[in-house]
PDB file of all heavy atoms in Angstrom:
ATOM      1  N   PRO A   1      11.173  31.287 -10.797  1.00  0.00           N
ATOM      2  CA  PRO A   1      11.094  31.697  -9.372  1.00  0.00           C
ATOM      3  C   PRO A   1      10.522  30.509  -8.464  1.00  0.00           C
ATOM      4  O   PRO A   1      10.094  29.537  -8.919  1.00  0.00           O
ATOM      5  CB  PRO A   1      10.125  32.852  -9.411  1.00  0.00           C
ATOM      6  CG  PRO A   1       9.250  32.606 -10.491  1.00  0.00           C
ATOM      7  CD  PRO A   1      10.069  31.924 -11.519  1.00  0.00           C
ATOM      8  N   ASN A   2      10.719  30.771  -7.233  1.00  0.00           N
ATOM      9  CA  ASN A   2      10.258  29.748  -6.215  1.00  0.00           C
ATOM     10  C   ASN A   2       8.747  29.634  -6.282  1.00  0.00           C
ATOM     11  O   ASN A   2       8.087  30.653  -6.433  1.00  0.00           O
ATOM     12  CB  ASN A   2      10.552  30.186  -4.748  1.00  0.00           C
ATOM     13  CG  ASN A   2      12.109  30.162  -4.576  1.00  0.00           C
ATOM     14  OD1 ASN A   2      12.793  29.433  -5.255  1.00  0.00           O
ATOM     15  ND2 ASN A   2      12.563  30.931  -3.636  1.00  0.00           N
ATOM     16  N   GLY A   3       8.286  28.420  -6.266  1.00  0.00           N
ATOM     17  CA  GLY A   3       6.766  28.137  -6.360  1.00  0.00           C
ATOM     18  C   GLY A   3       6.276  28.167  -7.731  1.00  0.00           C
ATOM     19  O   GLY A   3       5.031  27.984  -7.851  1.00  0.00           O
ATOM     20  N   CYS A   4       7.027  28.193  -8.750  1.00  0.00           N
ATOM     21  CA  CYS A   4       6.464  28.090 -10.087  1.00  0.00           C
ATOM     22  C   CYS A   4       6.237  26.728 -10.627  1.00  0.00           C
ATOM     23  O   CYS A   4       5.597  26.499 -11.644  1.00  0.00           O
ATOM     24  CB  CYS A   4       7.489  28.778 -11.080  1.00  0.00           C
ATOM     25  SG  CYS A   4       8.950  28.002 -11.283  1.00  0.00           S
ATOM     26  N   GLY A   5       6.679  25.620  -9.888  1.00  0.00           N
ATOM     27  CA  GLY A   5       6.396  24.291 -10.257  1.00  0.00           C
ATOM     28  C   GLY A   5       7.560  23.533 -10.838  1.00  0.00           C
ATOM     29  O   GLY A   5       7.355  22.523 -11.535  1.00  0.00           O
ATOM     30  N   LYS A   6       8.778  23.970 -10.602  1.00  0.00           N
ATOM     31  CA  LYS A   6      10.044  23.260 -11.122  1.00  0.00           C
ATOM     32  C   LYS A   6      10.063  21.813 -10.514  1.00  0.00           C
ATOM     33  O   LYS A   6      10.341  20.830 -11.291  1.00  0.00           O
ATOM     34  CB  LYS A   6      11.181  24.055 -10.843  1.00  0.00           C
ATOM     35  CG  LYS A   6      11.274  25.474 -11.391  1.00  0.00           C
ATOM     36  CD  LYS A   6      12.663  26.123 -11.114  1.00  0.00           C
ATOM     37  CE  LYS A   6      13.015  26.214  -9.724  1.00  0.00           C
ATOM     38  NZ  LYS A   6      11.994  27.166  -9.025  1.00  0.00           N
ATOM     39  N   SER A   7       9.902  21.710  -9.218  1.00  0.00           N
ATOM     40  CA  SER A   7       9.977  20.469  -8.553  1.00  0.00           C
ATOM     41  C   SER A   7       8.859  19.546  -8.941  1.00  0.00           C
ATOM     42  O   SER A   7       8.966  18.279  -8.939  1.00  0.00           O
ATOM     43  CB  SER A   7       9.990  20.586  -7.069  1.00  0.00           C
ATOM     44  OG  SER A   7      11.124  21.385  -6.682  1.00  0.00           O
ATOM     45  N   ASN A   8       7.704  20.091  -9.412  1.00  0.00           N
ATOM     46  CA  ASN A   8       6.567  19.272  -9.866  1.00  0.00           C
ATOM     47  C   ASN A   8       6.831  18.447 -11.083  1.00  0.00           C
ATOM     48  O   ASN A   8       6.362  17.371 -11.242  1.00  0.00           O
ATOM     49  CB  ASN A   8       5.388  20.177 -10.059  1.00  0.00           C
ATOM     50  CG  ASN A   8       4.721  20.782  -8.824  1.00  0.00           C
ATOM     51  OD1 ASN A   8       5.141  20.269  -7.710  1.00  0.00           O
ATOM     52  ND2 ASN A   8       4.075  21.787  -8.935  1.00  0.00           N
ATOM     53  N   ILE A   9       7.833  19.029 -11.902  1.00  0.00           N
ATOM     54  CA  ILE A   9       8.197  18.271 -13.025  1.00  0.00           C
ATOM     55  C   ILE A   9       8.945  16.999 -12.584  1.00  0.00           C
ATOM     56  O   ILE A   9       8.732  15.844 -13.196  1.00  0.00           O
ATOM     57  CB  ILE A   9       9.115  19.094 -14.015  1.00  0.00           C
ATOM     58  CG1 ILE A   9       8.309  20.341 -14.433  1.00  0.00           C
ATOM     59  CG2 ILE A   9       9.544  18.302 -15.160  1.00  0.00           C
ATOM     60  CD1 ILE A   9       9.120  21.376 -15.215  1.00  0.00           C
ATOM     61  N   MET A  10       9.810  17.114 -11.682  1.00  0.00           N
ATOM     62  CA  MET A  10      10.544  15.898 -11.251  1.00  0.00           C
ATOM     63  C   MET A  10       9.616  14.905 -10.562  1.00  0.00           C
ATOM     64  O   MET A  10       9.730  13.652 -10.673  1.00  0.00           O
ATOM     65  CB  MET A  10      11.631  16.362 -10.218  1.00  0.00           C
ATOM     66  CG  MET A  10      12.652  15.264  -9.858  1.00  0.00           C
ATOM     67  SD  MET A  10      13.538  14.655 -11.246  1.00  0.00           S
ATOM     68  CE  MET A  10      14.571  16.106 -11.696  1.00  0.00           C
ATOM     69  N   ASP A  11       8.634  15.499  -9.697  1.00  0.00           N
ATOM     70  CA  ASP A  11       7.630  14.590  -9.154  1.00  0.00           C
ATOM     71  C   ASP A  11       6.925  13.765 -10.160  1.00  0.00           C
ATOM     72  O   ASP A  11       6.497  12.671  -9.968  1.00  0.00           O
ATOM     73  CB  ASP A  11       6.712  15.410  -8.176  1.00  0.00           C
ATOM     74  CG  ASP A  11       7.515  15.977  -7.008  1.00  0.00           C
ATOM     75  OD1 ASP A  11       8.541  15.405  -6.675  1.00  0.00           O
ATOM     76  OD2 ASP A  11       6.965  16.960  -6.399  1.00  0.00           O
ATOM     77  N   ALA A  12       6.557  14.488 -11.312  1.00  0.00           N
ATOM     78  CA  ALA A  12       5.795  13.909 -12.313  1.00  0.00           C
ATOM     79  C   ALA A  12       6.547  12.726 -12.944  1.00  0.00           C
ATOM     80  O   ALA A  12       5.923  11.624 -13.160  1.00  0.00           O
ATOM     81  CB  ALA A  12       5.334  14.946 -13.405  1.00  0.00           C
ATOM     82  N   VAL A  13       7.790  12.896 -13.149  1.00  0.00           N
ATOM     83  CA  VAL A  13       8.643  11.852 -13.710  1.00  0.00           C
ATOM     84  C   VAL A  13       8.669  10.620 -12.719  1.00  0.00           C
ATOM     85  O   VAL A  13       8.492   9.427 -13.186  1.00  0.00           O
ATOM     86  CB  VAL A  13      10.002  12.355 -13.977  1.00  0.00           C
ATOM     87  CG1 VAL A  13      10.982  11.197 -14.439  1.00  0.00           C
ATOM     88  CG2 VAL A  13      10.031  13.322 -15.075  1.00  0.00           C
ATOM     89  N   ARG A  14       8.920  10.870 -11.466  1.00  0.00           N
ATOM     90  CA  ARG A  14       8.882   9.807 -10.501  1.00  0.00           C
ATOM     91  C   ARG A  14       7.529   9.163 -10.335  1.00  0.00           C
ATOM     92  O   ARG A  14       7.517   7.876 -10.097  1.00  0.00           O
ATOM     93  CB  ARG A  14       9.384  10.277  -9.086  1.00  0.00           C
ATOM     94  CG  ARG A  14      10.842  10.859  -9.120  1.00  0.00           C
ATOM     95  CD  ARG A  14      11.232  11.531  -7.909  1.00  0.00           C
ATOM     96  NE  ARG A  14      11.210  10.510  -6.791  1.00  0.00           N
ATOM     97  CZ  ARG A  14      11.415  10.766  -5.538  1.00  0.00           C
ATOM     98  NH1 ARG A  14      11.605  12.030  -5.127  1.00  0.00           N
ATOM     99  NH2 ARG A  14      11.422   9.816  -4.549  1.00  0.00           N
ATOM    100  N   TRP A  15       6.531   9.888 -10.479  1.00  0.00           N
ATOM    101  CA  TRP A  15       5.169   9.410 -10.311  1.00  0.00           C
ATOM    102  C   TRP A  15       4.796   8.428 -11.371  1.00  0.00           C
ATOM    103  O   TRP A  15       4.248   7.403 -11.195  1.00  0.00           O
ATOM    104  CB  TRP A  15       4.064  10.499 -10.218  1.00  0.00           C
ATOM    105  CG  TRP A  15       2.773  10.133  -9.979  1.00  0.00           C
ATOM    106  CD1 TRP A  15       2.196   9.567  -8.846  1.00  0.00           C
ATOM    107  CD2 TRP A  15       1.732  10.188 -11.011  1.00  0.00           C
ATOM    108  NE1 TRP A  15       0.845   9.305  -9.107  1.00  0.00           N
ATOM    109  CE2 TRP A  15       0.477   9.720 -10.427  1.00  0.00           C
ATOM    110  CE3 TRP A  15       1.700  10.718 -12.296  1.00  0.00           C
ATOM    111  CZ2 TRP A  15      -0.713   9.678 -11.063  1.00  0.00           C
ATOM    112  CZ3 TRP A  15       0.343  10.661 -12.995  1.00  0.00           C
ATOM    113  CH2 TRP A  15      -0.713  10.189 -12.293  1.00  0.00           C
ATOM    114  N   VAL A  16       5.052   8.856 -12.625  1.00  0.00           N
ATOM    115  CA  VAL A  16       4.650   8.035 -13.820  1.00  0.00           C
ATOM    116  C   VAL A  16       5.494   6.788 -13.858  1.00  0.00           C
ATOM    117  O   VAL A  16       5.096   5.781 -14.363  1.00  0.00           O
ATOM    118  CB  VAL A  16       4.887   8.807 -15.045  1.00  0.00           C
ATOM    119  CG1 VAL A  16       6.272   8.968 -15.504  1.00  0.00           C
ATOM    120  CG2 VAL A  16       4.086   8.121 -16.212  1.00  0.00           C
ATOM    121  N   LEU A  17       6.692   6.762 -13.240  1.00  0.00           N
ATOM    122  CA  LEU A  17       7.557   5.562 -13.309  1.00  0.00           C
ATOM    123  C   LEU A  17       7.126   4.585 -12.040  1.00  0.00           C
ATOM    124  O   LEU A  17       7.906   3.514 -11.966  1.00  0.00           O
ATOM    125  CB  LEU A  17       9.006   5.920 -13.136  1.00  0.00           C
ATOM    126  CG  LEU A  17       9.665   6.669 -14.321  1.00  0.00           C
ATOM    127  CD1 LEU A  17      11.040   7.095 -14.035  1.00  0.00           C
ATOM    128  CD2 LEU A  17       9.557   5.780 -15.568  1.00  0.00           C
ATOM    129  N   GLY A  18       6.150   4.834 -11.399  1.00  0.00           N
ATOM    130  CA  GLY A  18       5.676   3.865 -10.449  1.00  0.00           C
ATOM    131  C   GLY A  18       5.667   4.165  -8.983  1.00  0.00           C
ATOM    132  O   GLY A  18       5.433   3.330  -8.114  1.00  0.00           O
ATOM    133  N   GLU A  19       6.072   5.502  -8.582  1.00  0.00           N
ATOM    134  CA  GLU A  19       6.044   5.881  -7.273  1.00  0.00           C
ATOM    135  C   GLU A  19       4.691   5.844  -6.592  1.00  0.00           C
ATOM    136  O   GLU A  19       3.707   6.329  -7.122  1.00  0.00           O
ATOM    137  CB  GLU A  19       6.579   7.390  -7.113  1.00  0.00           C
ATOM    138  CG  GLU A  19       6.587   7.876  -5.695  1.00  0.00           C
ATOM    139  CD  GLU A  19       7.664   7.096  -4.911  1.00  0.00           C
ATOM    140  OE1 GLU A  19       8.806   6.943  -5.243  1.00  0.00           O
ATOM    141  OE2 GLU A  19       7.166   6.487  -3.804  1.00  0.00           O
ATOM    142  N   SER A  20       4.547   4.995  -5.490  1.00  0.00           N
ATOM    143  CA  SER A  20       3.253   4.780  -4.872  1.00  0.00           C
ATOM    144  C   SER A  20       3.248   5.409  -3.517  1.00  0.00           C
ATOM    145  O   SER A  20       2.148   5.261  -2.725  1.00  0.00           O
ATOM    146  CB  SER A  20       3.030   3.302  -4.739  1.00  0.00           C
ATOM    147  OG  SER A  20       4.087   2.676  -3.975  1.00  0.00           O
ATOM    148  N   LYS A  21       4.292   6.098  -3.003  1.00  0.00           N
ATOM    149  CA  LYS A  21       4.259   6.633  -1.638  1.00  0.00           C
ATOM    150  C   LYS A  21       4.022   8.246  -1.792  1.00  0.00           C
ATOM    151  O   LYS A  21       4.788   8.846  -2.381  1.00  0.00           O
ATOM    152  CB  LYS A  21       5.531   6.427  -0.992  1.00  0.00           C
ATOM    153  CG  LYS A  21       5.622   6.650   0.517  1.00  0.00           C
ATOM    154  CD  LYS A  21       6.859   6.166   1.203  1.00  0.00           C
ATOM    155  CE  LYS A  21       6.862   6.392   2.606  1.00  0.00           C
ATOM    156  NZ  LYS A  21       8.156   5.986   3.290  1.00  0.00           N
ATOM    157  N   ALA A  22       2.924   8.618  -1.237  1.00  0.00           N
ATOM    158  CA  ALA A  22       2.524  10.118  -1.298  1.00  0.00           C
ATOM    159  C   ALA A  22       3.555  10.949  -0.645  1.00  0.00           C
ATOM    160  O   ALA A  22       3.821  12.123  -1.098  1.00  0.00           O
ATOM    161  CB  ALA A  22       1.195  10.376  -0.692  1.00  0.00           C
ATOM    162  N   SER A  23       4.283  10.491   0.409  1.00  0.00           N
ATOM    163  CA  SER A  23       5.189  11.439   1.108  1.00  0.00           C
ATOM    164  C   SER A  23       6.479  11.677   0.249  1.00  0.00           C
ATOM    165  O   SER A  23       7.077  12.713   0.287  1.00  0.00           O
ATOM    166  CB  SER A  23       5.633  10.808   2.341  1.00  0.00           C
ATOM    167  OG  SER A  23       6.204   9.546   2.167  1.00  0.00           O
ATOM    168  N   GLU A  24       6.713  10.825  -0.718  1.00  0.00           N
ATOM    169  CA  GLU A  24       7.910  11.022  -1.600  1.00  0.00           C
ATOM    170  C   GLU A  24       7.518  12.022  -2.640  1.00  0.00           C
ATOM    171  O   GLU A  24       8.395  12.524  -3.311  1.00  0.00           O
ATOM    172  CB  GLU A  24       8.371   9.757  -2.266  1.00  0.00           C
ATOM    173  CG  GLU A  24       8.881   8.570  -1.330  1.00  0.00           C
ATOM    174  CD  GLU A  24      10.227   9.036  -0.731  1.00  0.00           C
ATOM    175  OE1 GLU A  24      10.952   9.827  -1.422  1.00  0.00           O
ATOM    176  OE2 GLU A  24      10.512   8.577   0.340  1.00  0.00           O
ATOM    177  N   LEU A  25       6.210  12.289  -2.848  1.00  0.00           N
ATOM    178  CA  LEU A  25       5.686  13.357  -3.773  1.00  0.00           C
ATOM    179  C   LEU A  25       5.361  14.580  -3.102  1.00  0.00           C
ATOM    180  O   LEU A  25       4.549  15.419  -3.698  1.00  0.00           O
ATOM    181  CB  LEU A  25       4.649  12.683  -4.654  1.00  0.00           C
ATOM    182  CG  LEU A  25       4.939  11.506  -5.396  1.00  0.00           C
ATOM    183  CD1 LEU A  25       3.746  10.949  -6.092  1.00  0.00           C
ATOM    184  CD2 LEU A  25       6.069  11.738  -6.496  1.00  0.00           C
ATOM    185  N   ARG A  26       5.701  14.739  -1.843  1.00  0.00           N
ATOM    186  CA  ARG A  26       5.364  15.884  -1.019  1.00  0.00           C
ATOM    187  C   ARG A  26       3.887  16.118  -0.881  1.00  0.00           C
ATOM    188  O   ARG A  26       3.278  17.208  -1.155  1.00  0.00           O
ATOM    189  CB  ARG A  26       6.067  17.160  -1.541  1.00  0.00           C
ATOM    190  CG  ARG A  26       7.507  17.131  -1.758  1.00  0.00           C
ATOM    191  CD  ARG A  26       8.062  18.298  -2.435  1.00  0.00           C
ATOM    192  NE  ARG A  26       7.591  18.417  -3.841  1.00  0.00           N
ATOM    193  CZ  ARG A  26       7.547  19.494  -4.561  1.00  0.00           C
ATOM    194  NH1 ARG A  26       8.015  20.656  -3.945  1.00  0.00           N
ATOM    195  NH2 ARG A  26       7.017  19.465  -5.722  1.00  0.00           N
ATOM    196  N   GLY A  27       3.122  15.043  -0.643  1.00  0.00           N
ATOM    197  CA  GLY A  27       1.645  15.111  -0.408  1.00  0.00           C
ATOM    198  C   GLY A  27       1.263  14.131   0.639  1.00  0.00           C
ATOM    199  O   GLY A  27       2.122  13.325   1.157  1.00  0.00           O
ATOM    200  N   GLU A  28       0.035  14.277   1.267  1.00  0.00           N
ATOM    201  CA  GLU A  28      -0.487  13.435   2.215  1.00  0.00           C
ATOM    202  C   GLU A  28      -1.212  12.197   1.576  1.00  0.00           C
ATOM    203  O   GLU A  28      -1.203  11.169   2.234  1.00  0.00           O
ATOM    204  CB  GLU A  28      -1.479  14.248   3.058  1.00  0.00           C
ATOM    205  CG  GLU A  28      -0.777  15.304   3.925  1.00  0.00           C
ATOM    206  CD  GLU A  28      -1.830  16.018   4.718  1.00  0.00           C
ATOM    207  OE1 GLU A  28      -2.955  15.771   4.625  1.00  0.00           O
ATOM    208  OE2 GLU A  28      -1.353  16.992   5.501  1.00  0.00           O
ATOM    209  N   SER A  29      -1.832  12.379   0.485  1.00  0.00           N
ATOM    210  CA  SER A  29      -2.531  11.222  -0.155  1.00  0.00           C
ATOM    211  C   SER A  29      -2.160  11.262  -1.638  1.00  0.00           C
ATOM    212  O   SER A  29      -1.711  12.331  -2.134  1.00  0.00           O
ATOM    213  CB  SER A  29      -3.948  11.217   0.198  1.00  0.00           C
ATOM    214  OG  SER A  29      -4.527  12.325  -0.480  1.00  0.00           O
ATOM    215  N   MET A  30      -2.378  10.221  -2.393  1.00  0.00           N
ATOM    216  CA  MET A  30      -2.137  10.155  -3.770  1.00  0.00           C
ATOM    217  C   MET A  30      -2.976  11.077  -4.572  1.00  0.00           C
ATOM    218  O   MET A  30      -2.642  11.535  -5.587  1.00  0.00           O
ATOM    219  CB  MET A  30      -2.216   8.712  -4.244  1.00  0.00           C
ATOM    220  CG  MET A  30      -1.662   8.548  -5.684  1.00  0.00           C
ATOM    221  SD  MET A  30       0.081   9.087  -5.802  1.00  0.00           S
ATOM    222  CE  MET A  30       0.917   7.862  -4.785  1.00  0.00           C
ATOM    223  N   GLN A  31      -4.271  11.429  -4.038  1.00  0.00           N
ATOM    224  CA  GLN A  31      -5.124  12.398  -4.730  1.00  0.00           C
ATOM    225  C   GLN A  31      -4.641  13.791  -4.745  1.00  0.00           C
ATOM    226  O   GLN A  31      -5.181  14.637  -5.424  1.00  0.00           O
ATOM    227  CB  GLN A  31      -6.536  12.370  -4.152  1.00  0.00           C
ATOM    228  CG  GLN A  31      -7.457  11.187  -4.581  1.00  0.00           C
ATOM    229  CD  GLN A  31      -7.030   9.857  -4.069  1.00  0.00           C
ATOM    230  OE1 GLN A  31      -6.341   9.764  -3.068  1.00  0.00           O
ATOM    231  NE2 GLN A  31      -7.364   8.762  -4.753  1.00  0.00           N
ATOM    232  N   ASP A  32      -3.526  14.156  -3.836  1.00  0.00           N
ATOM    233  CA  ASP A  32      -2.982  15.425  -3.866  1.00  0.00           C
ATOM    234  C   ASP A  32      -2.309  15.820  -5.103  1.00  0.00           C
ATOM    235  O   ASP A  32      -1.947  16.938  -5.325  1.00  0.00           O
ATOM    236  CB  ASP A  32      -2.072  15.596  -2.597  1.00  0.00           C
ATOM    237  CG  ASP A  32      -2.819  15.501  -1.236  1.00  0.00           C
ATOM    238  OD1 ASP A  32      -4.055  15.694  -1.298  1.00  0.00           O
ATOM    239  OD2 ASP A  32      -2.164  15.279  -0.247  1.00  0.00           O
ATOM    240  N   VAL A  33      -1.873  14.795  -5.873  1.00  0.00           N
ATOM    241  CA  VAL A  33      -1.245  15.138  -7.092  1.00  0.00           C
ATOM    242  C   VAL A  33      -2.151  15.698  -8.241  1.00  0.00           C
ATOM    243  O   VAL A  33      -1.786  16.166  -9.251  1.00  0.00           O
ATOM    244  CB  VAL A  33      -0.446  13.863  -7.722  1.00  0.00           C
ATOM    245  CG1 VAL A  33       0.529  13.404  -6.677  1.00  0.00           C
ATOM    246  CG2 VAL A  33      -1.485  12.798  -8.109  1.00  0.00           C
ATOM    247  N   ILE A  34      -3.516  15.591  -8.011  1.00  0.00           N
ATOM    248  CA  ILE A  34      -4.438  16.108  -8.986  1.00  0.00           C
ATOM    249  C   ILE A  34      -4.664  17.530  -8.738  1.00  0.00           C
ATOM    250  O   ILE A  34      -4.769  17.984  -7.501  1.00  0.00           O
ATOM    251  CB  ILE A  34      -5.798  15.287  -8.815  1.00  0.00           C
ATOM    252  CG1 ILE A  34      -5.515  13.798  -9.060  1.00  0.00           C
ATOM    253  CG2 ILE A  34      -6.863  15.809  -9.901  1.00  0.00           C
ATOM    254  CD1 ILE A  34      -6.843  13.006  -8.846  1.00  0.00           C
ATOM    255  N   PHE A  35      -4.860  18.372  -9.704  1.00  0.00           N
ATOM    256  CA  PHE A  35      -4.956  19.802  -9.573  1.00  0.00           C
ATOM    257  C   PHE A  35      -6.139  20.118  -8.698  1.00  0.00           C
ATOM    258  O   PHE A  35      -7.286  19.722  -9.069  1.00  0.00           O
ATOM    259  CB  PHE A  35      -5.098  20.509 -10.972  1.00  0.00           C
ATOM    260  CG  PHE A  35      -5.306  21.920 -10.984  1.00  0.00           C
ATOM    261  CD1 PHE A  35      -4.384  22.812 -10.434  1.00  0.00           C
ATOM    262  CD2 PHE A  35      -6.581  22.413 -11.322  1.00  0.00           C
ATOM    263  CE1 PHE A  35      -4.665  24.251 -10.469  1.00  0.00           C
ATOM    264  CE2 PHE A  35      -6.842  23.804 -11.227  1.00  0.00           C
ATOM    265  CZ  PHE A  35      -5.809  24.641 -10.802  1.00  0.00           C
ATOM    266  N   ASN A  36      -5.961  20.816  -7.588  1.00  0.00           N
ATOM    267  CA  ASN A  36      -7.043  21.085  -6.587  1.00  0.00           C
ATOM    268  C   ASN A  36      -7.877  22.297  -6.860  1.00  0.00           C
ATOM    269  O   ASN A  36      -8.642  22.625  -6.032  1.00  0.00           O
ATOM    270  CB  ASN A  36      -6.425  21.096  -5.157  1.00  0.00           C
ATOM    271  CG  ASN A  36      -7.401  20.783  -4.087  1.00  0.00           C
ATOM    272  OD1 ASN A  36      -8.414  20.102  -4.409  1.00  0.00           O
ATOM    273  ND2 ASN A  36      -7.155  21.249  -2.920  1.00  0.00           N
ATOM    274  N   GLY A  37      -7.715  23.055  -7.915  1.00  0.00           N
ATOM    275  CA  GLY A  37      -8.378  24.227  -8.273  1.00  0.00           C
ATOM    276  C   GLY A  37      -7.805  25.502  -7.683  1.00  0.00           C
ATOM    277  O   GLY A  37      -6.881  25.487  -6.941  1.00  0.00           O
ATOM    278  N   SER A  38      -8.358  26.629  -8.225  1.00  0.00           N
ATOM    279  CA  SER A  38      -7.891  27.952  -7.714  1.00  0.00           C
ATOM    280  C   SER A  38      -9.079  28.912  -7.696  1.00  0.00           C
ATOM    281  O   SER A  38     -10.256  28.479  -7.902  1.00  0.00           O
ATOM    282  CB  SER A  38      -6.837  28.458  -8.697  1.00  0.00           C
ATOM    283  OG  SER A  38      -7.343  28.617  -9.986  1.00  0.00           O
TER     284      SER A  38
END
């Protein structure tokens, strides 16, 4: 379903291959890719 994290898998692949721009990973800063708690 929507919001379950499917796009996060694609973001993870792009991130590990060297993506350095946070906006391409749908975030404001690179620290946004770290789990922010619940």
Side-chain angles (χ1 to χ4, degrees):
N2 292 335
C4 67
K6 300 187 299 296
S7 299
N8 292 341
I9 300 174
M10 190 63 64
D11 293 339
V13 174
R14 297 176 62 185
W15 180 71
V16 74
L17 292 178
E19 180 61 58
S20 60
K21 194 173 182 181
S23 61
E24 295 292 335
L25 300 175
R26 300 175 300 157
E28 295 181 357
S29 65
M30 194 54 69
Q31 276 72 21
D32 291 342
V33 302
I34 304 176
F35 177 68
N36 202 23
S38 62

